Amino acid sequence: MKDEINKVLNFVDLHKGEEDKKKVVENITSAVSFRGSNLWILACAILIASVGLNVNSTAVVIGAMLISPLMGPIVGAGFGLGMYDTDLLKKGLKNLLIATIVSLTISTLYFYISPFKEAESELLSRTSPNIYDILIAFFGGLVGVIAFTRVEKGNPIPGVAIATALMPPLCTAGYGLALGNISYFLGAMYLYTINCVFICIATFIIVKYLKYPQKEQLNETRKKQVKYGISILILLMIVPSIYFAYQLFIQKSYNSRTENFIKQEFTDNDYPIIYKNIKYNQSPKRIELAFLSKKFNQTEIKDLNKRLIDYNLLNTQLIIKQDTFNIGNDILNKINSSRDMVDKKDIIINKLRSQLSSYQFNNDLIIKESEVLFPSVSNLSIGNYTIKDKDKKDVIIPIVLYQSTETMDNEKAKRLKDWLKIRLAKDSVEIYRQPMSPISKITKAKQKK
C-alpha cells in the first residue's frame, strides 16, 4: 500500500523536469523590468487590444494578450513574496505600477481620439468580474508559474496569457476614463486587480511548494504577518467577486424565467413578436414587447401582468407597445415601399435595355445580306448619331459607312439607302462611301475569281 502511494506521489511530483532554481530566478528577474523593448511591446500590445475591443474583434484581443509582457512583473512579485526577497518584490510591484500607468494612459488616449464610442460586448464583459474570474486567474497563474519552472516551457504560457486576460481590463478601464464612466473604470480595474493578485498568490504557493531558497530569514512573527496579509488580500478580492457572481446568477435566472413567460404566453399562442427589450437594472423591472398584428385590450394586459407572479417575475411590469404606433402597418408599409422601389428599378432597367437595343445592330448578318443585294459592296459598318430636333428631343440617325469595288450611281445609292431604312426600321439613314485600301481591293478581287 505504501509503495502504491509513493508511486502516485512520484507520478504527480512537480520536482520532475524542474529547471535549476538559480536559473529560474535569473529569468524571472530579467523579465520584471519594463525598459526598452519591453515598454515598446507593451505600448503596441495595449493599442492592439484597444482596437480589438473597439471593433469587437475577439481574435485581435487574443493577439494582444499573446504579445503582452505584463505577466513578468506579476510573477516576479510572486517570487519575491515566496522567497521573502524584498528587493525583487519591490521591483516587481514598481514595474507593474509603471506598466499599469502606461497602459491606462495609452488606452485612454486611444478611446478619447477614436470616433467609435459605443460599448461593445467585448468591452462590457470586462466591467463585471465575479468568482469565476478569480478561479481563472488563480489556476491560470498556477499553470503559468509551473511552466516557468520547467526545463521545457512547452505551450502553457501562451494559453495562460489568453486565459488570465490582463490587457483587456486595462483597455476597458481606459475606455471608462476616456468617456468619464466611473463604473466601467472601477469594474475593469477590479478585474485587473483580481488577475494580478491571484496570479501572484498562485506564484507564491508554487514557490513555497518547490522550496525555493529564502533570501531573508524571517522570524515566525514576520512569517505570520505575511500569511495574514495574504489572507486579508484574498478575502478583499473574493467577497466582492462572490457578490457579483451571485448577482450574475440572479440576473440569468430572471432572464430564463422571462423567456419562459414569453414563450408560454405569446410564442406558443402564435403571436409573432417583433420587438423585445428586458430592462433588468431598474425598479420595477420592465418587459417591453410589441407584436406584428395581435392587439391586447387593457383587461388582457392587466391579466398578463398578474400572471407574472406565476413565473416568479416579481417587481416586474409588462409593457406592450401598441398604442403610440402600429408596428405591423409600419412594417407592411416598409415592405410595400421596398416593392415599389424594386418595380421602379425594373422599369428603369427595361428602359435602359430598350435604349441599348436601339444602338445595337447585327452587322455580320446585314453585311452578308448586302453582299447578295449589292455585290459591289465589300464592307459595311453602322453606328448611331444623336441630334436634337426642333422640339429639343433626341433623334437617333444611323450612320452607315460602306466600301465598294466600284462607284455607285445615284440610283444604286438610293436603293441601298432605302433598303437600309427598311432593314434598320429607321425613318432616316445617312450613308457614306469609304475608300478601299489597296490590300482590300486585292482581297476582293481574289474572292471574285
Side-chain angles (χ1 to χ4, degrees):
M1 183 67 179
K2 187 176 181 180
D3 291 337
E4 291 178 357
I5 294 173
N6 288 333
K7 284 181 181 179
V8 173
L9 292 174
N10 189 49
F11 185 72
V12 297
D13 188 7
L14 277 179
H15 290 284
K16 284 192 172 183
E18 186 183 356
E19 177 70 276
D20 179 66
K21 289 182 172 61
K22 187 177 179 181
K23 189 174 181 181
V24 172
V25 174
E26 287 176 357
N27 292 336
I28 293 296
T29 304
S30 64
V32 166
S33 180
F34 265 100
R35 287 180 177 80
S37 61
N38 268 359
L39 200 60
W40 280 97
I41 291 171
L42 175 68
C44 292
I46 201 73
L47 271 174
I48 293 170
S50 297
V51 171
L53 291 170
N54 204 189
V55 300
N56 209 38
S57 172
T58 305
V60 175
V61 175
I62 289 173
M65 288 188 279
L66 283 173
I67 64 176
S68 166
L70 271 173
M71 282 283 286
I74 300 172
V75 174
F79 264 83
L81 192 64
M83 296 168 59
Y84 302 111
D85 186 342
T86 53
D87 290 337
L88 182 57
L89 176 62
K90 289 178 182 178
K91 187 178 180 182
L93 294 176
K94 177 186 173 183
N95 282 281
L96 181 61
L97 180 62
I98 291 171
T100 303
I101 293 171
V102 168
S103 300
L104 279 174
T105 303
I106 292 172
S107 60
T108 301
L109 286 173
Y110 169 80
F111 283 109
Y112 184 78
I113 296 170
S114 172
F116 307 107
K117 307 293 185 184
E118 187 176 351
E120 300 289 352
S121 59
E122 285 288 339
L123 273 167
L124 293 174
S125 64
R126 270 84 186 187
T127 58
S128 302
N130 53 61
I131 189 67
Y132 304 110
D133 293 300
I134 288 179
L135 295 175
I136 293 168
F138 178 72
F139 289 107
L142 282 179
V143 173
V145 178
I146 291 170
F148 277 125
T149 61
R150 301 299 96 187
V151 175
E152 295 183 3
K153 303 295 187 283
N155 296 324
I157 292 176
V160 171
I162 296 171
T164 51
L166 293 164
M167 298 297 284
L170 278 176
C171 296
T172 305
Y175 173 81
L177 285 176
L179 270 68
N181 192 319
I182 300 302
S183 63
Y184 281 6
F185 171 75
L186 293 177
M189 285 305 295
Y190 179 52
L191 176 57
Y192 174 69
T193 305
I194 283 175
N195 288 337
C196 292
V197 168
F198 281 90
I199 291 171
C200 187
I201 290 171
T203 304
F204 172 82
I205 292 171
I206 295 299
V207 168
K208 300 304 290 182
Y209 176 79
L210 294 176
K211 297 179 181 178
Y212 272 70
Q214 296 181 13
K215 189 170 182 181
E216 298 177 11
Q217 298 298 321
L218 303 181
N219 56 39
E220 289 300 320
T221 304
R222 182 62 176 163
K223 286 182 180 179
K224 284 182 179 179
Q225 288 175 348
V226 172
K227 289 178 181 179
Y228 288 149
I230 291 173
S231 300
I232 292 170
L233 193 58
I234 290 172
L235 284 173
L236 288 174
M237 295 292 106
I238 287 180
V239 171
S241 64
I242 290 175
Y243 170 76
F244 286 127
Y246 175 73
Q247 290 297 319
L248 180 63
F249 171 77
I250 294 297
Q251 183 174 351
K252 286 188 174 182
S253 177
Y254 177 86
N255 288 339
S256 177
R257 295 195 302 273
T258 302
E259 293 297 333
N260 186 41
F261 165 74
I262 293 172
K263 179 180 181 298
Q264 293 195 25
E265 296 295 336
F266 306 111
T267 308
D268 289 350
N269 291 322
D270 294 327
Y271 300 152
I273 298 171
I274 58 174
Y275 173 80
K276 178 175 68 174
N277 186 22
I278 301 170
K279 295 183 177 180
Y280 178 80
N281 295 316
Q282 66 178 50
S283 184
K285 302 175 182 66
R286 289 165 62 104
I287 302 172
E288 297 179 352
L289 300 173
F291 298 85
L292 181 62
S293 57
K294 173 65 178 176
K295 293 291 183 181
F296 295 89
N297 57 44
Q298 290 302 317
T299 303
E300 289 174 320
I301 294 173
K302 286 181 181 179
D303 290 339
L304 287 167
N305 271 283
K306 288 178 181 178
R307 285 205 288 275
L308 289 170
I309 299 173
D310 299 335
Y311 296 88
N312 197 22
L313 295 172
L314 307 177
N315 191 29
T316 302
Q317 183 181 8
L318 174 65
I319 305 293
I320 297 180
K321 292 181 174 291
Q322 59 184 358
D323 296 329
T324 56
F325 58 93
N326 190 326
I327 300 177
N329 287 338
D330 187 52
I331 290 176
L332 291 174
N333 289 335
K334 287 183 179 179
I335 292 172
N336 291 330
S337 175
S338 299
R339 286 176 179 170
D340 290 341
M341 289 180 67
V342 171
D343 290 340
K344 287 178 182 178
K345 287 179 181 178
D346 288 340
I347 292 170
I348 293 170
I349 289 170
N350 290 331
K351 186 177 180 181
L352 290 171
R353 282 176 178 169
S354 176
Q355 290 177 353
L356 186 61
S357 64
S358 66
Y359 285 88
Q360 292 177 331
F361 303 103
N362 191 339
N363 279 10
D364 292 338
L365 181 60
I366 294 174
I367 289 171
K368 289 178 181 178
E369 292 175 2
S370 68
E371 287 177 347
V372 174
L373 297 172
F374 304 92
S376 62
V377 175
S378 62
N379 197 4
L380 190 142
S381 178
I382 305 173
N384 280 325
Y385 177 64
T386 304
I387 61 171
K388 299 283 187 182
D389 62 7
K390 61 181 181 180
D391 297 324
K392 303 294 184 181
K393 292 181 179 180
D394 289 340
V395 177
I396 299 172
I397 299 176
I399 305 294
V400 180
L401 299 177
Y402 70 93
Q403 291 179 336
S404 63
T405 54
E406 58 184 36
T407 304
M408 287 188 181
D409 56 26
N410 291 335
E411 185 181 349
K412 285 186 178 181
K414 185 176 181 303
R415 280 174 53 209
L416 176 62
K417 192 172 184 179
D418 291 341
W419 171 72
L420 287 170
K421 284 182 183 179
I422 296 169
R423 182 65 180 78
L424 302 178
K426 297 293 181 180
D427 295 331
S428 179
V429 175
E430 296 291 333
I431 62 171
Y432 299 94
R433 181 171 182 260
Q434 187 179 24
M436 291 181 66
S437 64
I439 296 173
S440 298
K441 289 179 179 179
I442 294 169
T443 305
K444 188 67 177 176
K446 286 182 179 178
Q447 288 174 351
K448 284 186 176 181
K449 289 180 181 180

